[in-house]
Amino acid sequence: MKLKKFANLLASLAVGAVLLALAACGQPADPKPLEPVAAELPQGAKNEEGIVLDVSDGQFILRSVEGTEYVFRMRGAQDLTPEGTKPGQLVRAWYDGVLSGTNAANVKLLRIEPIEQIQRDVLSENCVAQGIITSANDDSITIRTKDNKEHTFAAAQTVRSIPEGAKPGQWVRIVFDGTLETPVVKSVALLAQEAESYTMTGAVRSFDESKKTLEFQADAGGVYVFSYENSEMGFPDGLKKWIRADLVYTGHAAPKGTQEDHAVLLAAGPASKAKPQQITVTVQNVTPKRGNLDVVTADGRVLKFYVDTKLTSGNNALAAGDVICISYTGSIAAEKTGSAHIVSVEKVGSNSKRLFGTVQSIETQELLLETNDGRTLTLPMPQEETFSQHLKKGDAVCVQYTGVIVHEDAQDAQIEAISYFYE
């Protein structure tokens, strides 16, 4: 089959050469450069077909149709691809020698040629998946998407753009060709440099070593289930039933049995109530005489605290819209704060806050945004907006805003600026 394709290719090139010669008689020369003529291949030349993952430093990475990645040196090879070999192209790499595993250093690359367009159309291009990383190693990244499903992507190290490598808890955008079942990764980019983390204090009710899961009774109320397969576990004597622990997680934790659990456990260790934790929130409501403080987290949860009345009354009292950093001991689980004890409250920065997500649609009066924490928000656009002319569906953006967003209600938010979050 491969020799037949090669013969057809040579025949096509020969016919093309005759037509060009005839066209030259009595006609002005075509200023367009001629396509390179394929050099003759030595007897016994072999080939691998696949998609180009990366081209740099005189070499390229090819993901074969069987899923194996090869690193070929391009020096001396004839490149027949239009405008040169680029990531994302389907190509056939001809070589002389014997491949050993994935090592192509000892073979001579002879030619890189594009695969016929009819074959190229079979592969879906520039598909996008984004979510939170649940596990990562040198060979693959597994993410949990908004629909609570996990997908694993193999990605060559050279096409990743994540500083210091991928880590559980990061939000990423993956561009790939093919399908979720057979993806060929083209790029991986961070949507947020760090996902905000929370601490939950309580006791381990039970755990399953085979499934790497644990059930946790939070001091603030409720039972939660976490996977600890890719978490940093810091128990000197091992994980034990009813051991007191602090769990550090990112995403939205929901009690056992609910469908809205998007949390990823980052680390766990013995409980230490003396060690304060910090959370940055926006003040939603203040009750001066009672010392009640309602705040909203970055992912839209409403938390209630009882604080010293000095913080809720007087000239320096907190007011709705203030951005504050709360240091606390104890635990915050979902929207339950009964076991949390405030150590200090400090105003931070300006009222402008950041929101990361993907544009679903944009109109003159509103922006529909899927946030990285799993919400779908409709944000009112400023009257004198200058953003919509550049944005389109699928863009990953950072939205700076003032006001308060509670759960999925963003009508009180005001957009200050919108920028792309990845290149």
Side-chain angles (χ1 to χ4, degrees):
M1 179 62 72
K2 291 182 179 177
L3 290 176
K4 185 177 179 181
K5 288 182 179 178
F6 176 56
N8 291 338
L9 177 61
L10 288 178
S12 299
L13 289 170
V15 172
V18 171
L19 292 175
L20 286 171
L22 292 174
C25 299
Q27 296 289 338
D30 189 347
K32 227 174 131 181
L34 298 177
E35 295 292 332
V37 179
E40 185 176 352
L41 291 169
Q43 187 175 5
K46 310 175 189 67
N47 70 71
E48 285 288 343
E49 296 180 354
I51 192 166
V52 179
L53 296 183
D54 184 64
V55 181
S56 60
D57 300 326
Q59 61 186 21
F60 81 102
I61 299 175
L62 179 76
R63 167 82 58 74
S64 72
V65 292
E66 290 83 14
T68 305
E69 293 180 12
Y70 299 100
V71 181
F72 287 96
R73 294 178 179 174
M74 300 179 69
R75 184 176 181 181
Q78 185 180 25
D79 191 349
L80 299 182
T81 60
E83 301 180 1
T85 301
K86 293 181 176 61
Q89 292 176 323
L90 268 175
V91 301
R92 183 179 297 112
W94 289 90
Y95 64 93
D96 192 16
V98 179
L99 288 174
S100 176
T102 60
N103 184 6
N106 296 323
V107 305
K108 179 177 176 55
L109 184 65
L110 304 172
R111 179 193 300 165
I112 306 171
E113 61 186 26
I115 292 178
E116 292 83 351
Q117 188 63 37
I118 187 170
Q119 292 177 263
R120 186 73 175 98
D121 291 340
V122 173
L123 193 64
S124 298
E125 296 181 299
N126 296 324
C127 302
V128 175
Q130 66 180 48
I132 191 168
I133 296 177
T134 57
S135 66
N137 55 43
D138 292 339
D139 301 319
S140 64
I141 296 175
T142 300
I143 67 171
R144 182 183 297 165
T145 54
K146 183 185 176 183
D147 57 6
N148 213 28
K149 295 181 180 179
E150 290 198 346
H151 303 281
T152 299
F153 298 84
Q157 189 70 30
T158 51
V159 302
R160 295 184 186 169
S161 58
I162 300 178
E164 301 179 2
K167 300 179 180 64
Q170 293 173 320
W171 288 95
V172 293
R173 173 188 173 95
I174 298 176
V175 179
F176 63 94
D177 289 342
T179 65
L180 283 171
E181 290 71 30
T182 57
V184 178
V185 175
K186 298 172 74 173
S187 66
V188 181
L190 276 179
L191 292 183
Q193 294 297 327
E194 293 181 3
E196 188 167 5
S197 62
Y198 305 94
T199 298
M200 184 184 296
T201 302
V204 177
R205 290 183 50 168
S206 63
F207 59 94
D208 188 327
E209 290 186 339
S210 62
K211 296 181 180 179
K212 299 294 184 183
T213 59
L214 61 84
E215 283 194 3
F216 195 74
Q217 177 69 58
D219 288 350
V223 176
Y224 298 80
V225 178
F226 290 94
S227 169
Y228 63 88
E229 183 174 4
N230 299 289
S231 308
E232 181 181 341
M233 305 297 282
F235 299 98
D237 300 324
L239 191 59
K240 296 179 180 179
K241 191 174 180 180
W242 294 115
I243 189 172
R244 297 278 303 164
D246 283 339
L247 305 187
V248 180
Y249 67 95
T250 187
H252 191 141
K256 179 181 177 181
T258 60
Q259 300 297 318
E260 299 299 322
D261 185 6
H262 298 286
V264 174
L265 183 63
L266 302 179
S272 175
K273 287 192 174 182
K275 183 180 179 181
Q277 309 297 323
Q278 290 185 332
I279 183 172
T280 301
V281 294
T282 304
V283 176
Q284 181 191 30
N285 186 51
V286 176
T287 307
K289 294 182 179 180
R290 296 182 180 179
N292 289 344
L293 186 65
D294 297 337
V295 299
V296 180
T297 65
D299 58 3
R301 291 176 292 146
V302 178
L303 307 180
K304 295 181 180 294
F305 293 98
Y306 178 78
V307 297
D308 192 317
T309 54
K310 292 180 181 178
L311 293 173
T312 59
S313 59
N315 295 332
N316 297 319
L318 297 175
D322 284 345
V323 180
I324 60 174
C325 178
I326 296 178
S327 296
Y328 67 95
T329 57
S331 174
I332 296 174
E335 296 189 351
K336 298 179 180 180
T337 59
S339 67
H341 304 284
I342 293 181
V343 176
S344 64
V345 176
E346 179 183 2
K347 290 185 181 181
V348 293
S350 66
N351 287 350
S352 185
K353 297 174 285 292
R354 298 187 304 169
L355 187 69
F356 302 103
T358 303
V359 175
Q360 293 304 298
S361 66
I362 186 165
E363 300 176 2
T364 304
Q365 296 183 341
E366 62 184 31
L367 166 69
L368 186 64
L369 187 75
E370 274 196 16
T371 66
N372 290 346
D373 52 45
R375 292 174 291 166
T376 300
L377 302 180
T378 301
L379 294 153
M381 294 293 290
Q383 291 184 354
E384 298 180 0
E385 57 85 18
T386 58
F387 317 118
S388 59
Q389 58 186 334
H390 303 295
L391 294 177
K392 62 183 183 300
K393 182 178 180 180
D395 284 342
V397 295
C398 171
V399 178
Q400 288 181 281
Y401 70 97
T402 58
V404 178
I405 299 175
V406 179
H407 300 298
E408 295 194 353
D409 182 2
Q411 292 306 304
D412 291 333
Q414 295 86 42
I415 295 177
E416 296 288 308
I418 304 177
S419 59
Y420 297 109
F421 199 77
Y422 68 97
E423 296 298 332

